[in-house]
Amino acid sequence: MYARDNVAGAQNGQQRLLSGPVLQRAAMTFGMLADATRLGLLTALLDGDLDVTALTAAVGAARPAVSQHLGKLRLAGLVTVRREGRRALYAVAGPHVRRLVTEALYAAEHQLTDWPAHHEPDPPVPAPR
């Protein structure tokens, strides 16, 4: 069962509360994204895998700070790391994280510009189980 099913599958407009662990994990994820350097690192990784040197240049922070932020993002499950010889390459950890970062950036752009709001159709309601 997905977290979205707890909300999207509610009847009569009433939403069931998500479980505590799901809410705690989501809050932790938003906490990780609340830091501009970490969000900048994730944004840089949207275009592909990068090493610490490239990420340091991308966000303009000191290498030790970038390494520390990447460690936090990795422990939070928001980035993955793989070895390629002596280099460690970092990547966004999946499509959910990619969409979350992208949507946060789009929302910020809309708030800072006069771009019109998007009017998206309501998501489909899943069939009863």
Side-chain angles (χ1 to χ4, degrees):
M1 172 177 267
Y2 293 102
R4 68 177 175 263
D5 293 339
N6 289 338
V7 176
Q11 296 178 5
N12 300 330
Q14 296 176 349
Q15 297 179 347
R16 291 183 281 173
L17 295 177
L18 296 171
S19 69
V22 172
L23 291 174
Q24 290 297 323
R25 186 62 172 206
M28 184 270 309
T29 297
F30 283 119
M32 286 287 117
L33 297 177
D35 181 272
T37 301
R38 288 193 290 266
L39 187 55
L41 290 168
L42 286 165
T43 300
L45 291 170
L46 291 176
D47 292 331
D49 301 358
L50 296 171
D51 63 13
V52 175
T53 301
L55 288 167
T56 298
V59 298
R63 187 180 182 95
V66 168
S67 293
Q68 186 176 38
H69 284 298
L70 287 169
K72 289 179 181 181
L73 290 169
R74 189 172 62 79
L75 287 173
L78 300 177
V79 299
T80 60
V81 63
R82 67 180 169 81
R83 294 301 244 182
E84 192 172 272
R86 293 178 55 170
R87 292 182 347 157
L89 293 174
Y90 291 85
V92 173
H96 293 294
V97 176
R98 179 175 297 281
R99 279 194 303 275
L100 186 60
V101 171
T102 301
E103 288 299 325
L105 296 172
Y106 286 152
E109 286 176 334
H110 279 273
Q111 291 171 356
L112 295 172
T113 66
D114 59 353
W115 293 351
H118 297 280
H119 296 288
E120 298 182 28
D122 290 333
V125 175
R129 295 180 191 209

